[in-house]
Amino acid sequence: MNALIIGNGGREHALAWKISQSPLVNKIYVAPGNAGTELDSIIENINITDIDLLIEFAINKNIDLTIVGPEVPLSKGIVNKFIENDLYIFGPTFQAAQLESSKDFSKKFMKKHGIPTADYATFTDAKLAHNYIEQKGSPIVIKADGLAAGKGVVVAMTDEEAHNAINLMLSDNQFGDAGARIVIEEFLQGEEASFIVICDGETVLPLASSQDHKRLFDNDMGPNTGGMGAYSPAPIVTPEIHKKIMSEVILPTIAGMKKDGIKFTGFLYAGLMIDKRNKIKTLEFNCRMGDPETQPILFRLKSDLFKILYDASMSKLEGHNIKWENNSAITIVMAAKNYPNQPRINDEIIGLHSTNQDTYVFHAGTTLINSKILTSGGRVLGITAKGKTLEEAKNKAYQLTNNIYFDGAQYRNDIGKKAFK
Ligand code: AMP
Ligand code: GLY
């Protein structure tokens, strides 16, 4: 069978890498892909991003299943359009993807269906938003309503930061339409975990847990990024917490969407805050896999991902189970100079050869030009390793990271540290 993967990041390289192991799959196309997918012999990059042209391509190449990596095409209704053309695709429709594409939609939905989340209010008027800050005080969290590539959230520790964030979003339009409406929410404390499931509208198949590292610098300092590293499993998600997440967050979300007349098919990602008393609150929903969480999660997956997603796209997930290696995996993100603000591109990457069975370098912002691999985006590589323990995985990943070089590379030295507490 033929598969088409939409996207060009580390997540999509990991999806293509995993799907290439399926005995059912002959050919994988990635649109548009990166240098990592280009270098793989059974994967072919295609330089198409327009949805109508992707449909034409899927029809011409007899694509059996399309898998959508990132949120933007989902929010543009790529799934609705493929389905209208009788093509199988795994991902949520435009309507279902609003859980991610509008924070206001998702907060209203959670309140309506009793899904635990921080208290909030929504504003389009800057004056009213400033008044709300005067009333509530800091710390407080300001979020752009729309998609902002992980950068639309300001955790304001002072009133001044909160007022500045409101000005940036509502008055200066720094996030364009995405920030023309904002959600202001209660500041939550605890430990974060990412919990991702596969859903076919009815049946839910949870993936292994993981933990992301959103801040740019060690010890969770610096600006929020798309994610600087991740590991799986996350020890904070004990079997008891796993059960609670399923019963308090995941299952009510799928049921609530159904009640509201929206079938949820796709990956559902709940970003969670778990406090000292094991109370769970939902920070956000994503309607796709996380990046970089996908990399360590899929590095531990034993089951045939293609078969699972193919069946899920036909609402036949029931009866599937999912098998994991009994180990830990970790991904260290190497990011470009000046990421996340204005990442520099075109730096040559060297030292990308020595991987073995327990290590792999997933490419993200890379491009192949005249046989050289150059940086082409903010997050450049995801250095991934597995080991019997997280400590072992971490040591292998950092060893490999230290052998890879490009000018201005930034990475955190403390990925996984929280798990060793
Ligand atoms: P989000 O994109 O909504 O997940 O937010 C990005 C990051 O901001 C999260 O991973 C948290 O680290 C932080 N964050 C979001 N909402 C809150 C909140 N209500 N309280 C504390 N931190 C938050
Ligand atoms: N790593 C967080 C995300 O994918 O949204």
Side-chain angles (χ1 to χ4, degrees):
M1 288 205 264
N2 302 323
L4 169 62
I5 295 171
I6 311 287
N8 64 352
R11 165 185 49 216
E12 289 75 26
H13 188 193
L15 283 164
W17 169 86
K18 184 65 205 172
I19 279 171
S20 72
Q21 295 163 13
S22 168
L24 300 170
V25 174
N26 309 315
K27 180 88 197 179
I28 300 170
Y29 299 93
V30 185
N34 55 36
T37 49
E38 192 164 344
L39 289 166
D40 190 313
S41 57
I42 94 152
I43 303 173
E44 189 176 325
N45 284 354
I46 56 161
N47 196 13
I48 307 178
T49 45
D50 177 81
I51 295 179
D52 293 322
L53 295 179
L54 285 167
I55 288 172
E56 210 178 295
F57 179 87
I59 294 170
N60 288 339
K61 295 286 181 179
N62 296 315
I63 300 295
D64 297 284
L65 178 67
T66 298
I67 299 161
V68 189
E71 60 276 20
V72 171
L74 293 170
S75 74
K76 288 185 180 158
I78 189 171
V79 171
N80 307 58
K81 290 185 184 162
F82 268 63
I83 292 172
E84 280 160 23
N85 283 276
D86 295 322
L87 293 162
Y88 287 113
I89 184 162
F90 184 73
T93 58
F94 157 76
Q95 291 83 349
Q98 290 177 97
L99 272 183
E100 173 169 7
S101 63
S102 166
K103 299 263 187 208
D104 180 50
F105 176 94
S106 119
K107 296 295 284 190
K108 269 200 193 108
F109 171 86
M110 286 191 265
K111 283 288 168 206
K112 177 175 173 193
H113 295 283
I115 294 154
T117 188
D119 285 334
Y120 82 105
T122 301
F123 297 93
T124 49
D125 182 284
K127 195 155 171 260
L128 295 178
H130 287 301
N131 289 345
Y132 188 73
I133 300 296
E134 296 298 333
Q135 207 185 318
K136 293 281 177 184
S138 50
I140 196 156
V141 183
I142 324 289
K143 300 184 173 184
D145 175 58
L147 296 176
K151 290 158 212 151
V153 174
V154 176
V155 180
M157 298 316 286
T158 62
D159 290 17
E160 194 189 345
E161 282 177 80
H163 289 301
N164 286 343
I166 291 169
N167 287 337
L168 278 183
M169 292 182 198
L170 290 183
S171 309
D172 304 346
N173 270 328
Q174 185 147 356
F175 292 90
D177 282 351
R181 180 195 302 264
I182 60 171
V183 162
I184 302 185
E185 69 176 39
E186 170 200 3
F187 173 75
L188 300 174
Q189 276 174 301
E191 191 168 341
E192 287 181 53
S194 305
F195 195 88
I196 308 173
V197 302
I198 294 172
C199 187
D200 70 350
E202 286 289 334
T203 302
V204 175
L205 200 59
L207 299 178
S209 63
S210 57
Q211 193 172 59
D212 188 14
H213 296 64
K214 290 235 164 76
R215 302 293 188 126
L216 182 64
F217 303 127
D218 285 7
N219 300 314
D220 292 335
M221 305 294 275
N224 262 324
T225 70
M228 292 299 290
Y231 59 88
S232 169
I236 174 122
V237 183
T238 59
E240 180 204 344
I241 297 276
H242 181 112
K243 238 196 229 157
K244 260 180 95 164
I245 297 171
M246 286 299 285
S247 66
E248 292 178 12
V249 179
I250 302 293
L251 297 177
T253 299
I254 303 297
M257 290 298 272
K258 209 170 141 189
K259 232 186 250 167
D260 291 349
I262 304 176
K263 176 175 170 178
F264 192 97
T265 299
F267 293 107
L268 178 66
Y269 166 136
L272 304 164
M273 187 73 91
I274 303 166
D275 77 8
K276 286 204 177 83
R277 288 163 34 240
N278 283 348
K279 252 176 97 179
I280 297 164
K281 291 215 171 156
T282 311
L283 291 175
E284 63 161 345
F285 284 119
N286 294 321
C287 295
R288 50 171 175 85
M289 286 207 71
D291 191 340
E293 293 94 320
T294 302
Q295 291 84 314
I297 291 174
L298 295 188
F299 213 49
R300 301 180 51 229
L301 177 61
K302 279 202 214 162
S303 309
D304 183 341
L305 184 66
F306 181 82
K307 172 90 178 104
I308 293 173
L309 299 184
Y310 186 64
D311 286 352
S313 76
M314 287 183 280
S315 304
K316 289 185 183 158
L317 194 56
E318 201 179 350
H320 272 283
N321 55 32
I322 196 158
K323 293 210 168 64
W324 302 99
E325 290 180 22
N326 184 18
N327 56 10
S328 281
I330 193 168
T331 293
I332 319 291
V333 169
M334 285 180 91
K337 185 178 171 72
N338 295 335
Y339 177 74
N341 292 330
Q342 291 196 305
R344 186 173 73 191
I345 60 168
N346 290 332
D347 284 302
E348 187 180 354
I349 307 168
I350 51 176
L352 278 173
H353 17 259
S354 53
T355 57
N356 58 43
Q357 220 180 324
D358 289 342
T359 54
Y360 199 84
V361 178
F362 292 111
H363 287 231
T366 66
T367 181
L368 194 61
I369 293 179
N370 298 331
S371 309
K372 284 186 179 166
I373 299 175
L374 305 182
T375 64
S376 64
R379 291 184 294 169
V380 176
L381 301 168
I383 322 301
T384 302
K386 59 187 175 187
K388 272 195 218 80
T389 61
L390 182 60
E391 174 86 38
E392 194 185 308
K394 185 198 79 171
N395 292 339
K396 285 183 201 166
Y398 274 111
Q399 241 168 36
L400 188 56
T401 305
N402 291 335
N403 291 331
I404 298 172
Y405 173 83
F406 55 89
D407 193 34
Q410 321 180 58
Y411 58 89
R412 279 179 60 160
N413 290 293
D414 66 344
I415 304 301
K417 191 172 156 192
K418 271 191 211 143
F420 300 120
K421 267 193 319 222

